[in-house]
Amino acid sequence: MSIAPAGPQTGAQLIWESLTREGVDIVFGYPGGAILPTYDAMTEYTIRHVLVRHEQSAVHMADGYARASGRVGVVVATSGPGATNLVTGLATAMLDSTPLVAITGQVGSGLLGTDAFQEVDITGITRPVTKHTYLVTRAEDIVPAIREAFAVARSGRPGPVLVDITKDAQQSRATLDWEAAAPQRHLRHLPAPLDQIALAQALDLIRSAKRPIILAGHGIQLSGARAEVLALAERADIPFAITLLGLGAVPATHPLSLGMMGMHGESWVNRAIQEADLLLALGMRFDDRVTGKLKEYAPHAKKIHIDIDASELNKLVPVDVAIAADLGDVLRALLPQVPVADRSEWLGSIREWKGDSAVRDIKNLPDDGHLYAAHVMHDLWRLTKGEAVVVTDVGQHQMWEAQYYKHDGERSLITSGGAGTMGFALPAAIGAKLARPEAEVWVVAGDGGFQMTFAELMTAVQEDVKVNIAIINNGYLGMVRQWQALFYEGRYAATPILSPDFVKLADAFGVHGQRVEARSELATAVEAARTVKGTALIEFKVEQEDSVYPMVPAGAALHDMIRRPAPSVLAETGQDPV
Amino acid sequence: MSHVLVVYTDDEPGVLTRVASLFRRRGFNIHSLTVGPTERPDVSRMTVVVDTDEATARRAVEHLRKLVNVLEVQQLGIGRANVVRDLALIRVNAGPTRRSEVLQLVEVFRANVVDIADDSLVIECTGSLGKIEALVDTLRPFGIIELGRTGAVAMARGTRTPVKAAIAPLRTGGGAMSV
């Protein structure tokens, strides 16, 4: 930490001073006119700056950094287009509850509202996709705004906050008074003390349930409540289904783990939800990709919903017991009173629904010469011993990854769930690797999404960051193609997509590149990527018109699944015997 | 049905936009929204009347509570436990032949005439939402030329603890920061 000099400092210095004191060690950004005073002061501080190739990627990097580490990610950008380029990243972080602070330069305060060069109303533009925004026009307001921004980003349900600082505020001087700037407003709406009546009702429901199921969400990770959730599951013998963002929050290979729920969840998982008599929704928000048709969702179940965000309770699914509080706090209060139970009958029926799919392993399926994305995910899981941090893009590969790469470790899957932002993976992976240099980080992206942000390969090179990249190339915007095949009579409007020669592309960026066209080449290529110095890219040329199964069509009931048309070489699951 | 929300906020630029855009974003239908100063110079008070069901109104309250510059939200009913008042200015046709008829109605409603022109009157009426609607309906046959309403201001009856003063707005050197 730098020692603040006595006397007034420039606003620019106060920005770095505040970031340093908030524990920031790295920021992701792109300079420009209105933020130039801040960049000029940067060299006096030890904080590392990562120069991105597009500001959207800066937010995704900060997002990946935050999700991999649990710390607040920080972005710096200039006014106008620099600031507007942040919007998609902020929306991505908002929907997935990632704590971020974005600092943007703004034109001088005297020019505000005059349509000056590179002036946009960025606080207005970003209001709906942030937890809060600040427009700071005076140097003395910088420290209070940044301190409060960090507090707001971290507290309650985390999320992004934007601080827009005029150029003159960065240039004029103020005296640092850290203590006086201690934030308070984020404390206004802390959750009320635990509602004892609600806790008692929840206990009653747990006691009397015959077919309970835990819906494990991202809130488990954000609350740090993994141990408590597992204790509850084990003590009361309750199986858990996992949301996309909950993968990794609880271990996938735990005996009580059923796997992912929802649109591309395994059939037995969704069936268990539909037949359950009690849902324990822990830190999840009943997204439409998880529930399917609301009217027919879990029709026999009583519902307990625990989430720190009170506005999520009774939003889509009316529940019997709603508790707005930190999940860990609630479970610690509940656990001592939860009776030990044996629900082998219920677990037995779920096992029966799995049938032989539970013991099939695609590793042992005959090689018919086709390379399927499922093979890639399954083999990647095996070869990395399930210990990699995988950062996925959005689309079919994302679902295959979720189905076939079994995440046991916390913060081991980073994916854009709520927003479904293509182009997320590569920048987010660079951020994740910078947060956890010791981790093996894999990008899993489609040929479409990768082409949105692959300029960040150069950022990885310039910053000497090693990520391993698996491009699942099927020559289509595959998920959209799948919907066209299933719901638009196979009219492939604008979904065939050409790609550059990815191996040559890798070469042009100065990174290792390889192409894999048969499953027999896969392991060697993955091992080469893992061991080579620096970022490595593998293009997997997979089956072009493969689809993700099973699938609950949008708006259909959860038990109304489209199964893989038989005959097929692929099992519907890569679930191993447990 | 109508729900009345009283929202205490920091007196800062941008707060009104935040509250209004929250309602727009979530699809809550605003019947009226008023804003003004309070007994504390740093706190503003909004009265929002929304037409929605109970569950949605409750969710609106929870969304409002997530805004950093909202101090407190009260959900009031329209019933007798609360005072809900609206003010209307109504310019109504009232030529010499029908003027006395209109004046009688004004008296019945305990409203006031605040301007008289050759062929029209401006009537000021304060009261519950229902009373104002009744007056407007009564005057409609005469021909309403112009109607302006303030929107409701509401307050619960009985005793009440003051707005929590513990957590001050983000205050710096020369006043609250613009947001």
Side-chain angles (χ1 to χ4, degrees):
Chain A
M1 181 181 291
S2 68
I3 305 300
Q9 300 175 72
T10 65
Q13 288 171 315
L14 291 170
I15 291 171
W16 294 109
E17 191 65 41
S18 305
L19 294 178
T20 305
R21 287 172 182 248
E22 287 293 343
V24 175
D25 57 0
I26 191 166
V27 299
F28 304 90
Y30 206 99
I35 194 72
L36 207 41
T38 297
Y39 272 86
D40 188 50
M42 181 174 79
T43 50
E44 301 162 34
Y45 297 83
T46 55
I47 294 176
R48 177 174 177 184
H49 179 272
V50 171
L51 176 67
V52 297
R53 296 301 180 272
H54 187 287
E55 290 89 347
Q56 180 183 333
S57 293
V59 197
H60 293 331
M61 277 183 211
D63 193 332
Y65 173 91
R67 294 196 210 199
S69 64
R71 297 195 287 271
V72 179
V74 180
V75 180
V76 182
T78 194
S79 64
T84 56
N85 279 345
L86 303 179
V87 171
T88 300
L90 292 171
T92 306
M94 184 71 173
L95 278 160
D96 287 351
S97 312
T98 306
L100 296 184
V101 171
I103 292 172
T104 48
Q106 180 55 281
V107 300
S109 56
L111 291 171
L112 283 172
T114 67
D115 302 320
F117 177 65
Q118 293 198 327
E119 186 205 358
V120 299
D121 173 18
I122 196 61
T123 51
I125 289 170
T126 57
R127 184 172 299 124
V129 294
T130 53
K131 282 186 79 177
H132 200 59
T133 57
Y134 302 82
L135 171 58
V136 181
T137 55
R138 302 180 312 176
E140 60 263 42
D141 295 345
I142 287 175
V143 178
I146 292 181
R147 284 201 74 175
E148 189 175 275
F150 273 84
V152 169
R154 286 188 189 112
S155 63
R157 178 177 176 179
V161 178
L162 181 127
V163 186
D164 195 29
I165 306 176
T166 58
K167 194 167 183 178
D168 52 327
Q170 298 168 50
Q171 288 166 324
S172 55
R173 288 176 179 271
T175 304
L176 175 73
D177 188 348
W178 188 254
E179 294 315 317
Q184 294 189 321
R185 295 196 298 182
H186 66 293
L187 303 171
R188 280 175 173 167
H189 305 297
L190 292 181
L194 289 182
D195 176 352
Q196 295 302 326
I197 296 168
L199 289 181
Q201 288 169 334
L203 272 172
D204 276 348
L205 290 178
I206 295 170
R207 271 198 208 101
S208 55
K210 297 275 183 290
R211 301 185 307 279
I213 185 165
I214 288 171
L215 307 181
H218 189 36
I220 297 171
Q221 185 68 76
L222 295 170
S223 164
R226 177 190 180 100
E228 287 83 353
V229 172
L230 291 180
L232 170 69
E234 286 162 13
R235 194 176 165 89
D237 210 15
I238 304 176
F240 49 87
I242 312 172
T243 68
L244 176 64
L245 287 183
L247 295 174
V250 284
T253 60
H254 189 283
L256 287 166
S257 166
L258 300 180
M260 185 171 70
M261 66 179 93
M263 182 175 274
H264 292 293
E266 299 292 0
S267 61
W268 68 79
V269 186
N270 290 339
R271 183 163 175 194
I273 291 169
Q274 292 301 78
E275 308 240 340
D277 66 356
L278 176 66
L279 301 187
L280 279 135
L282 308 182
M284 55 84 73
R285 60 183 176 89
F286 293 108
D287 183 83
D288 54 277
R289 290 307 195 247
V290 150
T291 60
K293 192 179 191 175
L294 283 168
K295 272 199 177 128
E296 295 175 38
Y297 180 67
H300 315 296
K302 297 273 186 190
K303 295 165 187 93
I304 300 170
H305 192 182
I306 306 172
D307 198 286
I308 199 159
D309 182 351
S311 68
E312 289 294 350
L313 304 173
N314 290 306
K315 182 176 83 173
L316 295 162
V317 175
V319 298
D320 301 275
V321 179
I323 302 176
D326 175 72
L327 179 60
D329 289 347
V330 177
L331 293 183
R332 282 186 289 277
L334 274 180
L335 271 170
Q337 301 171 70
V338 171
V340 174
D342 171 9
R343 301 190 210 267
S344 43
E345 201 178 317
W346 167 230
L347 294 168
S349 15
I350 299 174
R351 231 182 334 268
E352 223 166 88
W353 302 331
K354 281 189 190 178
D356 66 344
S357 56
V359 292
R360 267 182 290 170
D361 181 344
I362 55 175
K363 183 185 166 195
N364 300 317
L365 289 168
D367 187 355
D368 65 349
H370 295 257
L371 181 63
Y372 289 94
H375 292 149
V376 181
M377 300 307 157
H378 183 77
D379 294 353
L380 196 60
W381 170 63
R382 289 236 175 251
L383 292 164
T384 58
K385 302 188 176 64
E387 289 167 1
V389 172
V390 184
V391 186
T392 76
D393 220 79
V394 171
Q396 287 184 314
H397 69 275
Q398 180 188 30
M399 293 298 109
W400 280 314
E401 198 281 346
Q403 290 177 334
Y404 294 101
Y405 196 107
K406 288 178 264 301
H407 289 278
D408 285 338
E410 289 192 83
R411 303 186 181 280
S412 62
L413 171 62
I414 293 170
T415 191
S416 167
T421 304
M422 287 174 71
F424 175 80
L426 176 61
I430 293 170
K433 180 69 178 179
L434 286 162
R436 282 162 60 187
E438 79 296 344
E440 177 178 351
V441 176
W442 276 86
V443 172
V444 172
D447 41 331
F450 188 74
Q451 289 189 68
M452 284 193 174
T453 51
F454 71 64
E456 301 306 329
L457 275 173
M458 211 58 231
T459 307
V461 172
Q462 183 167 352
E463 295 292 329
D464 196 18
V465 172
K466 176 173 176 59
V467 292
N468 301 322
I469 301 162
I471 301 174
I472 309 302
N473 184 358
N474 57 10
Y476 284 101
L477 301 175
M479 188 57 96
V480 183
R481 186 209 58 75
Q482 173 169 344
W483 283 52
Q484 288 171 332
L486 292 171
F487 313 119
Y488 293 86
E489 294 164 0
R491 291 184 296 276
Y492 291 170
T495 43
I497 182 169
L498 286 182
S499 288
D501 180 328
F502 285 116
V503 177
K504 279 190 185 158
L505 187 84
D507 191 44
F509 281 96
V511 304
H512 173 89
Q514 252 180 298
R515 183 173 296 113
V516 168
E517 297 182 68
R519 199 175 179 193
S520 52
E521 307 159 11
L522 194 154
T524 330
V526 168
E527 280 313 322
R530 296 179 78 197
T531 45
V532 75
K533 194 181 168 307
T535 286
L537 177 156
I538 309 173
E539 175 194 14
F540 292 97
K541 301 275 269 185
V542 299
E543 192 69 9
Q544 288 210 300
E545 298 195 26
D546 192 12
S547 290
V548 183
Y549 295 106
M551 177 180 191
V552 182
L558 207 50
H559 51 269
D560 200 1
M561 306 196 85
I562 303 175
R563 310 297 293 267
R564 179 175 285 278
S568 165
V569 292
L570 267 192
E572 283 187 347
T573 175
Q575 193 88 0
D576 280 327
V578 284
Chain B
M1 76 172 272
S2 286
H3 292 267
V4 180
L5 309 181
V6 175
V7 188
Y8 296 88
T9 71
D10 297 329
D11 180 20
E12 290 177 343
V15 179
L16 180 60
T17 322
R18 270 174 211 287
V19 171
S21 79
L22 184 158
F23 280 86
R24 175 196 55 79
R25 155 87 173 85
R26 300 287 170 181
F28 305 137
N29 194 15
I30 297 183
H31 181 270
S32 73
L33 190 160
T34 63
V35 59
T38 65
E39 72 282 4
R40 282 178 49 184
D42 52 354
V43 174
S44 297
R45 189 179 190 280
M46 295 183 195
T47 305
V48 190
V49 181
V50 284
D51 293 323
T52 185
D53 55 67
E54 175 66 25
T56 310
R58 263 192 232 157
R59 254 192 313 118
V61 170
E62 294 304 343
H63 278 294
L64 286 165
R65 290 199 172 124
K66 284 164 64 174
L67 296 181
V68 170
N69 24 28
V70 166
L71 281 86
E72 192 177 335
V73 188
Q74 289 177 282
Q75 186 181 347
L76 307 181
I78 290 279
R80 289 184 167 276
N82 304 297
V83 185
V84 182
R85 291 291 179 269
D86 197 346
L87 183 144
L89 293 176
I90 308 162
R91 190 189 304 276
V92 62
N93 274 327
T97 52
R98 303 197 74 181
R99 181 161 291 177
S100 59
E101 225 178 316
V102 173
L103 288 171
Q104 266 181 357
L105 288 168
V106 167
E107 204 160 312
V108 170
F109 278 86
R110 282 182 288 169
N112 301 311
V113 174
V114 292
D115 186 53
I116 302 179
D118 288 349
D119 55 355
S120 67
L121 298 173
V122 176
I123 297 161
E124 172 203 286
C125 179
T126 308
S128 67
L129 305 178
K131 175 184 167 181
I132 287 175
E133 268 148 36
L135 175 61
V136 168
D137 286 345
T138 310
L139 292 175
R140 190 157 283 135
F142 297 90
I144 292 176
I145 302 164
E146 192 177 352
L147 171 63
R149 291 175 65 168
T150 57
V153 174
M155 202 171 271
R157 294 183 193 272
T159 55
R160 151 141 175 83
T161 46
V163 182
K164 39 186 177 186
I167 295 171
L170 186 62
R171 203 158 259 294
T172 49
M177 176 179 318
S178 58
V179 288

